[in-house]
């Protein structure tokens, strides 16, 4: 079966750095997405990786290793508004999105 | 501003009733999707449509129905056959189905509670 694993919940301190991991086992791979979702709101696009390596966008970076079936989202200089759930999703061989359950990130002052 | 509008935001239903959730987009996207989100689970695909007058079942289509009569609109009906309909429903659209970098734009969601 297809599987996406993410930690259920993480806690970090304002101003710090946090890394949210995502491991996957899917039938084929055509890219990996990270979305941010504040409670009760719509998910919003953060990043897309299809090649190995690190993609940086301001305070957020996303890394991919296809051989290890692994990705992480790195958030720097954490702000209170970063408190949200972070969803990892993989595009499989049929171009269908397989979603992880999401990681709830709690930022403390 | 372009986007996706879902309505209603909150909906209460009695058991045995059908309800319809509205989804409208003005992004000129070809593909539209309906997802269900439950606590502790990933998004699960109910139905999707890549072109007008055509749609496909997702992983959990039983008890749901859709139509795609216009490019802009993709309403979802939750029928009385859906055994556990209480959930958060998300509509999404994308410009280019069938490609890897197919970024979804989501609506704000509709929360359905069955009394």
């Amino acid at each position: 079966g297809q599987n996406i694993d993410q930690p259920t919940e993480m806690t970090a301190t304002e101003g710090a750095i946090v890394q949210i991991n995502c491991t996957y086992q899917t039938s084929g791979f055509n890219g990996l997405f990270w979305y941010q979702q504040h409670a009760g709101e719509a998910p919003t696009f953060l990043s897309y990786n299809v090649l190995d390596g690190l993609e940086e966008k301001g305070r957020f970076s996303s890394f991919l290793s296809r051989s290890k079936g692994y990705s992480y989202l790195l958030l720097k200089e954490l702000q209170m508004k970063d408190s949200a759930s972070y969803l990892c999703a993989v595009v499989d061989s049929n171009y269908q999105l397989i979603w992880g359950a999401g990681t709830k990130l709690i930022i403390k002052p | 501003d372009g986007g996706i509008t879902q309505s209603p935001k909150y909906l209460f239903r009695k058991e045995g009733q059908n309800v319809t959730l509205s989804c409208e987009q003005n992004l000129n996207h070809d593909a539209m999707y309906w997802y269900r989100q439950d606590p502790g689970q990933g998004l699960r695909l109910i139905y999707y449509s890549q072109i007008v007058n055509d749609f496909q079942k997702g992983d959990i289509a039983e008890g749901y129905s859709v139509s795609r009569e216009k490019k802009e609109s993709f309403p979802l009906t939750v029928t009385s056959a859906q055994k556990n309909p209480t959930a958060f429903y998300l509509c999404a659209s994308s410009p280019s189905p069938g490609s890897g970098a197919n970024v979804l734009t989501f609506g704000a969601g509709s929360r359905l509670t069955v009394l």
Side-chain angles (χ1 to χ4, degrees), chain A residues 2 6 10 15 19 25 35 40 43 48 57 65 70-71 76-78 82 88 95 100 105:
Chain A
Q2 308 203 87
Q6 306 178 236
M10 299 181 70
Q19 178 175 310
Q25 290 179 309
Y35 283 80
Y48 172 74
K57 269 189 193 179
S65 169
Y70 168 69
S71 172
K76 302 177 185 176
E77 301 169 14
L78 286 169
D82 297 330
C88 174
Y95 294 99
L105 178 63

Side-chain angles (χ1 to χ4, degrees), chain A residues 59-96:
Chain A
R59 294 190 299 114
F60 291 11
S61 303
S62 56
F63 172 83
L64 175 67
S65 169
R66 289 172 296 171
S67 62
K68 294 183 180 178
Y70 168 69
S71 172
Y72 67 73
L73 182 69
L74 191 71
L75 291 72
K76 302 177 185 176
E77 301 169 14
L78 286 169
Q79 301 174 10
M80 297 303 294
K81 67 179 182 180
D82 297 330
S83 291
S85 289
Y86 291 86
L87 313 180
C88 174
V90 171
V91 185
D92 71 8
S93 57
N94 294 319
Y95 294 99
Q96 298 296 317

Side-chain angles (χ1 to χ4, degrees), chain B residues 5-34:
Chain B
T5 302
Q6 285 187 243
S7 63
K9 190 166 178 64
Y10 299 96
L11 184 61
F12 297 88
R13 187 194 94 173
K14 293 182 180 179
E15 284 193 14
Q17 287 181 333
N18 292 354
V19 294
T20 297
L21 308 181
S22 170
C23 178
E24 303 278 333
Q25 56 104 353
N26 60 3
L27 298 165
N28 199 32
H29 285 173
D30 288 322
M32 297 187 74
Y33 312 80
W34 273 105

Side-chain angles (χ1 to χ4, degrees), chain A residues 30-31 33 35 37 40-45 48 87 91 94-102, chain B residues 9 35 37 40-43 45 48 88 90 98-108 111:
Chain A
N30 282 299
F33 287 93
Y35 283 80
Q37 185 180 25
E41 298 183 10
T44 55
F45 169 75
Y48 172 74
L87 313 180
V91 185
N94 294 319
Y95 294 99
Q96 298 296 317
L97 272 172
I98 312 301
W99 294 84
Chain B
K9 190 166 178 64
Y35 285 95
Q37 188 173 37
Q41 298 189 41
L43 298 182
L45 184 64
Y48 66 101
F88 189 51
L90 286 162
S99 72
N102 189 29
V103 178
L104 299 184
T105 300
F106 285 87
R111 187 167 297 279

